[in-house]
């Protein structure tokens, strides 16, 4: 099995955290998101412990809420000692509604509206990660009006090609996020920020991309940011206390994907940073990272009920499921790989080639193409693995399909974390 928190029981059923997935499908209905909470917590601890050990006290992971955002997640994060980044007032609201301490929140976004900025300051978020000049002046003015000094990090673009998908590669110069170092714009941006009397600049942020499998792009980012910080020290006399290196470590969606050694990579990165700081006599900053995918992706799976098989003669066979792009748009968006299993017949031989299709009126509504399963029958339970990140978070109501529930499994027990949407929910905003 691709993950060791998954298993197969005596009935030949797929289990997650020791719980039978067919029991979960029966109890809560399908489609259903299932999260192994023990696995989420384990993933949190890998970052917490290794970052503290390698980068020193105060260096912590911020969970990237955009990967999976609902109240229960923030309660877990708080218990595990993580901070969190939020990218919208809606994520901020969710964190606040869960009672997450606002001083441990970092407010992201390349176009925070005036209203967002006021809401963030009013909530008392710890740090704004400021993307642009407009945000700088609106934030400074509002902080002044409120009589507070707002802590900020400044988003810079190191100009790195992280060799991942273009859609999730945000470290290039030509993108809508941050201020490029190479063109000199980042320096100007820092200069302007330092002149703002109601802002307290703590350091720099960069996010180079997602689904990154090795530490090299992060080392490159450290190189560039440290070089930049040295220039800033020389030219402006400012020394950064914080480097936020963003998120991005990859996860295994299919057996052929490598397993990222996060402790090993953190250790390498820490050595690299220490050497760089020593060589330039730069005081070692606190390091923040923003893992999203690598905290929650492998802890999640989605269960569907098969509708049946439709062979298109001379072409291929489609197996339909009772969800699709509305709960997992990632294949439709960027042909993401997934491992698909027949949860109720794990011991049957997977000798039937098929394409898993959703129920939307879109020919692109596919979950995965040309995979091997036991020949599906109507009523079979189909599991798609590694859906903990960017699935629930990206779900939608296209075709007025209700969003699935999220069930958590912890220490062999299951509980509902997000209830399934109802038809009443669908019309709740319609006047
Ligand atoms: C998307 C994103 C993350 C999380 O990336 P993962 O690949 O899920 O770890 C972190 N920080 C920022 C700014 C992001 O845009």
């Amino acid at each position: 099995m691709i993950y060791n928190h998954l298993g197969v029981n005596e009935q030949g059923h797929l289990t997650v955290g020791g719980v039978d997935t067919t029991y979960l499908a029966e109890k809560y209905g399908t489609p259903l998101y299932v999260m192994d909470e023990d696995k989420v917590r384990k993933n949190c601890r890998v970052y917490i412990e290794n970052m503290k050990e390698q980068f020193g006290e105060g260096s912590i992971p911020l969970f990237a809420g955009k990967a999976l955002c609902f109240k229960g997640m923030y309660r877990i994060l708080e218990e595990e000692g993580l901070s969190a980044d939020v990218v919208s007032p809606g994520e901020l609201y969710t964190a606040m509604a869960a009672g997450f301490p606002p001083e441990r929140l970092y407010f992201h976004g390349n176009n925070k509206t005036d209203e967002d900025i006021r809401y963030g300051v009013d909530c008392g978020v710890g740090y704004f990660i400021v993307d642009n000049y407009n945000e700088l002046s609106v934030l400074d003015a509002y902080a002044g009006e409120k009589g507070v000094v707002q802590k900020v990090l400044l988003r810079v673009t190191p100009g790195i090609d992280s060799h991942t998908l273009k859609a999730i590669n945000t470290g290039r110069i030509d993108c809508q996020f941050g201020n490029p170092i190479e063109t000199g714009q980042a320096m100007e941006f820092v200069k302007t920020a330092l002149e703002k009397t109601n802002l307290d600049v703590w350091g720099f942020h960069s996010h180079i991309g997602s689904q990154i499998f090795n530490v090299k792009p992060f080392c490159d980012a450290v190189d560039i940011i440290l070089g930049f910080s040295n220039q800033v020290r020389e030219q402006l006399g400012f020394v950064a206390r914080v480097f936020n290196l963003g998120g991005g470590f990859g996860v295994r969606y299919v057996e052929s994907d490598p397993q990222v050694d996060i402790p090993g990579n953190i250790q390498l990165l820490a050595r690299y940073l220490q050497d760089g700081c020593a060589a330039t006599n730069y005081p070692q900053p606190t390091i923040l990272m923003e893992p999203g995918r690598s905290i929650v992706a492998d802890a999640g799976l989605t269960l569907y009920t098969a509708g049946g098989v439709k062979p298109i003669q001379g072409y291929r066979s489609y197996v339909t499921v009772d969800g699709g792009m509305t709960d997992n748009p990632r294949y439709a968006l960027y042909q993401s790989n997934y491992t698909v299993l027949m949860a109720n017949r794990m011991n049957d031989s997977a000798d039937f080639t098929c394409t898993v299709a959703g129920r939307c009126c879109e020919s692109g509504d596919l979950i995965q193409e040309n995979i091997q399963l036991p020949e599906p029958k109507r009523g079979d339970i189909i599991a798609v693995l590694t859906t903990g990140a960017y699935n629930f978070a990206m779900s939608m109501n296209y075709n007025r399909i209700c969003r699935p529930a999220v069930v958590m499994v912890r220490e062999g027990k299951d509980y509902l974390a997000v209830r399934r949407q109802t038809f009443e929910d669908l019309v709740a905003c319609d006047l």
Side-chain angles (χ1 to χ4, degrees):
M1 192 72 75
I2 181 167
Y3 304 129
N4 56 19
H5 60 285
L6 302 179
V8 179
N9 65 15
E10 280 156 24
Q11 289 97 324
H13 296 168
L14 176 69
T15 62
V16 51
V19 178
D20 188 325
T21 54
T22 68
Y23 152 82
L24 294 172
E26 171 93 36
K27 180 170 173 184
Y28 298 100
T30 57
L32 182 69
Y33 297 114
V34 183
M35 294 296 302
D36 183 329
E37 184 176 331
D38 301 312
K39 180 66 178 155
V40 173
R41 288 178 183 272
K42 231 188 212 166
N43 291 343
C44 288
R45 287 170 201 168
V46 166
Y47 275 98
I48 281 275
E49 287 163 13
N50 287 284
M51 286 185 68
K52 189 169 158 186
E53 197 177 300
Q54 301 297 330
F55 294 122
E57 206 68 46
S59 290
I60 43 163
L62 323 177
F63 176 66
K66 72 174 187 200
L68 183 67
C69 185
F70 56 82
K71 282 160 66 176
M73 264 309 292
Y74 289 100
R75 295 188 195 112
I76 294 171
L77 298 172
E78 191 189 357
E79 282 178 22
E80 294 298 332
L82 274 75
S83 292
D85 81 44
V86 293
V87 298
S88 71
E91 286 189 6
L92 173 53
Y93 179 85
T94 307
M96 297 299 290
F100 196 84
E103 63 276 11
R104 277 161 57 187
L105 291 174
Y106 291 68
F107 196 0
H108 263 294
N110 65 322
N111 183 18
K112 301 178 188 81
T113 65
D114 292 7
E115 209 173 11
D116 298 347
I117 290 169
R118 288 196 293 267
Y119 181 51
V121 173
D122 291 347
C123 285
V125 300
Y127 297 80
F128 273 69
I129 299 182
V130 182
D131 178 87
N132 56 67
Y133 288 94
N134 288 303
E135 185 184 343
L136 266 189
S137 36
V138 176
L139 181 60
D140 180 54
Y142 189 63
E145 200 179 309
K146 287 268 290 187
V148 298
V149 174
Q150 178 63 53
K151 290 186 278 191
V152 299
L153 300 180
L154 305 176
R155 184 156 180 169
V156 298
T157 324
I160 284 174
D161 187 347
S162 55
H163 298 291
T164 182
L165 287 167
K166 195 167 177 219
I168 53 178
N169 179 350
T170 54
R172 289 169 301 127
I173 292 183
D174 178 13
C175 82
Q176 70 270 51
F177 307 106
N179 300 273
I181 291 173
E182 197 178 306
T183 61
Q185 285 167 277
M187 182 64 77
E188 280 305 309
F189 190 62
V190 175
K191 187 162 178 279
T192 306
L194 290 171
E195 286 161 2
K196 302 290 185 196
T197 49
N198 305 302
L199 303 182
D200 183 10
V201 181
W202 277 60
F204 307 123
H205 169 277
S206 84
H207 172 72
I208 54 176
S210 201
Q211 193 61 352
I212 298 167
F213 286 104
N214 68 67
V215 78
K216 174 82 168 49
F218 288 99
C219 292
D220 293 347
V222 162
D223 250 353
I224 294 167
I225 294 168
L226 187 57
F228 173 67
S229 300
N230 271 294
Q231 283 180 342
V232 170
R233 180 172 61 175
E234 265 167 49
Q235 294 180 27
L236 307 173
F238 171 78
V239 177
R241 280 168 281 180
V242 174
F243 285 180
N244 180 336
L245 302 178
F249 276 128
V251 299
R252 273 181 101 189
Y253 285 98
V254 289
E255 301 262 6
S256 58
D257 285 335
Q259 178 77 51
V260 177
D261 172 13
I262 290 172
N265 282 331
I266 288 176
Q267 191 175 10
L268 287 171
L269 194 54
R271 293 263 163 77
Y272 197 81
L273 177 79
Q274 280 150 16
D275 291 350
C277 288
T280 53
N281 194 24
Y282 201 86
Q284 194 170 314
T286 296
I287 297 296
L288 304 176
M289 295 180 91
E290 299 175 326
R293 192 189 307 273
S294 54
I295 298 276
V296 287
D298 63 2
L301 58 84
T302 306
L303 300 174
Y304 300 104
T305 302
V309 173
K310 180 185 283 181
I312 305 295
Q313 276 169 20
Y315 294 88
R316 56 172 148 178
S317 290
Y318 288 90
V319 53
T320 46
V321 294
D322 55 352
M325 65 186 283
T326 47
D327 57 79
N328 182 358
R330 293 189 68 254
Y331 191 80
L333 271 176
Y334 27 65
Q335 288 74 55
S336 312
N337 286 323
Y338 281 105
T339 300
V340 184
L341 301 171
M342 181 73 79
N344 58 324
R345 292 192 280 130
M346 290 293 289
N347 297 331
D348 290 9
S349 59
D351 53 7
F352 185 79
T353 305
C354 54
T355 287
V356 182
R359 59 182 300 175
C360 280
C361 311
E362 295 280 338
S363 53
D365 180 12
L366 304 176
I367 292 290
Q368 206 62 196
E369 292 185 87
N370 304 318
I371 50 135
Q372 299 288 120
L373 283 177
E375 184 167 351
K377 300 187 309 290
R378 190 173 177 85
D380 276 330
I381 302 298
I382 290 178
V384 178
L385 307 186
T386 332
T387 57
Y390 306 112
N391 271 239
F392 174 76
M394 284 188 172
S395 63
M396 57 179 154
N397 288 128
Y398 183 50
N399 285 191
R400 289 249 149 167
I401 290 169
C402 294
R403 286 196 177 85
V406 182
V407 162
M408 305 288 262
V409 169
R410 185 176 191 195
E411 291 167 359
K413 294 198 173 59
D414 52 278
Y415 71 94
L416 196 60
V418 181
R419 69 159 171 80
R420 185 178 300 283
Q421 273 188 331
T422 63
F423 295 142
E424 293 82 66
D425 291 328
L426 294 178
V427 296
C429 300
D430 301 2
L431 304 176

